[in-house]
Amino acid sequence: MILDANGRSFQYLRLSITDVCNYRCSYCLPNGYVEEAPRRFLDIDEIRHLVTGFAELGLWKVRLTGGEPTVRKDFAQIAATVSAIPGIGKVATTTNGYQLAKHAQLWRDAGISAINISIDSLDPVNFQRITGMDHLPRVLKGVDAAEAAGFDDIKINTVLLKDLNHHELDRFLDFVKDRQISLRFIELMETGDNAAYFEKHHLCASTIIKALVARGWQPVARMIAAGPAQEFSHPAYAGKIGIIAPYAKDFCQTCNRLRVTARGDLRLCLFGDGGHNLRHLLQSADQKNELQRTVTSLLQQKASTHLLHFHQSGATKNLSALGG
Ligand code: SAM
């Protein structure tokens, strides 16, 4: 297990496998993906070397993210490679779900056991307004397919947006009435590109917590090593509602994750000042010890907290480059 200078231990690697995204979410890539550097993303061998090294340092959970990770043609192959690495106990992914109806079973069979599907609106017109894509029915079919494919854990991610989707709260609650899945509201985070949007549409997570409590939802006791969401349950609902509140006090105290970008940069914090390139250490299995020494040493530079409260989002222009 590796520890940073603040005594936090790291079990969770979020690995971006591509910057490319086919959606145009208004808070992230409103004008769509723009190629700023050649699309030379980590290949399967580099990914294997990376995850093998990290697994021996105690990171046992890997999330494949992006961009949209499933735009990669070798997505299932990457998932199978990562899930076969000794020490990796859980492979998850975060997807916009555009290919889920078609490939849910393939991805489950490739070893992905947990899937987060982003759905920012349950109204088709509003979904298109927020994501730029007329895909809600298709994504909902994907959720059904994921349930049928037997994932251990299915979650819906919904970015909370003032005046764009917060009025849909009851519709979101209905969605989990009979489904044993967790829908998590993520408080909008400010990034380098979205300051004006953030000003207009940021809604504090506490507003939703108050609305949930008023409707009889109760906080669920937090498990040790649980993710960043505070979960709520209700006796009349099969599913749960989670709240991810990055602006909440002490949010970073329980940080247990490291990030690697699609080009092999270690990012110690989603909102840090930049990356530390590891790619040159991923070229052969023999470089594992050097990779591990480098990561262990860099980890000591991890900041105790992000500075989002001061509107400082570091080098993060949008989340598509490193996976949210
Ligand atoms: N393309 C995939 C998807 O749509 O889920 C994975 C990558 S996306 C960057 C991961 C998650 O980050 C999505 O749920 C997305 O809605 C969320 N996200 C992106 N930008 C955000 C922001 N500025 N604040 C909060 N969440 C954001």
Side-chain angles (χ1 to χ4, degrees), residues 224-249:
I224 297 173
Q230 167 66 59
E231 289 215 304
F232 289 76
S233 67
H234 189 293
Y237 290 75
K240 292 197 172 61
I241 296 293
I243 305 287
I244 300 182
Y247 289 84
K249 188 173 162 291

Side-chain angles (χ1 to χ4, degrees), residues 30-207:
N31 302 315
Y33 173 73
V34 178
E35 188 167 313
E36 289 185 352
R39 297 186 192 188
R40 219 173 63 77
F41 303 125
L42 295 181
D43 66 24
I44 295 219
D45 287 335
E46 291 171 318
I47 290 173
R48 185 188 304 106
H49 296 147
L50 175 83
V51 176
T52 303
F54 275 69
E56 288 181 13
L57 290 174
L59 286 91
W60 57 269
K61 174 175 172 186
V62 178
R63 177 171 301 278
L64 302 176
T65 182
E68 172 50 41
T70 69
V71 301
R72 270 189 73 155
K73 293 205 168 46
D74 55 357
F75 177 69
Q77 219 184 327
I78 293 173
T81 302
V82 170
S83 54
I85 291 172
I88 296 303
K90 184 167 176 178
V91 181
T93 192
T94 302
T95 174
N96 60 32
Y98 87 109
Q99 298 219 70
L100 191 52
K102 200 162 142 204
H103 293 313
Q105 194 64 57
L106 173 72
W107 299 341
R108 178 70 191 97
D109 294 345
I112 294 179
S113 63
I115 188 155
N116 288 9
I117 306 154
S118 299
I119 304 181
D120 290 333
S121 171
L122 289 168
D123 168 66
V125 174
N126 206 23
F127 183 95
Q128 181 165 16
R129 189 177 306 143
I130 296 171
T131 64
M133 302 300 278
D134 178 18
H135 274 183
L136 181 63
R138 171 178 181 152
V139 177
L140 293 178
K141 276 194 199 127
V143 177
D144 292 340
E147 287 187 298
F151 286 91
D152 298 342
D153 190 6
I154 302 174
K155 295 193 176 91
I156 307 297
N157 282 354
T158 302
V159 180
L160 185 57
L161 301 167
K162 185 164 74 181
D163 298 336
L164 291 179
N165 68 8
H166 84 274
H167 58 283
E168 288 190 48
L169 175 62
D170 289 311
R171 208 191 284 234
F172 286 120
L173 298 183
D174 275 355
F175 190 75
V176 299
K177 184 109 177 53
D178 301 312
R179 294 176 189 259
Q180 282 193 343
I181 60 183
S182 175
L183 183 147
R184 296 114 49 89
F185 289 107
I186 307 174
E187 198 173 328
L188 178 66
M189 292 175 263
E190 182 171 353
T191 62
D193 283 350
N194 76 5
Y197 185 99
F198 176 85
E199 196 59 41
K200 211 164 155 195
H201 296 297
H202 174 253
L203 184 66
C204 187
S206 60
T207 313

Side-chain angles (χ1 to χ4, degrees), residues 40 42 46 49-50 260 263-266 275-288 290-295 298:
R40 219 173 63 77
L42 295 181
E46 291 171 318
H49 296 147
L50 175 83
V260 174
R263 292 184 176 78
D265 285 358
L266 175 70
H276 308 271
N277 191 264
L278 301 177
R279 195 166 196 169
H280 59 289
L281 300 174
L282 306 178
Q283 302 312 308
S284 102
D286 298 343
Q287 292 173 291
K288 193 173 64 184
E290 197 185 343
L291 170 70
Q292 292 172 336
R293 271 197 305 276
T294 304
V295 172
L298 285 170

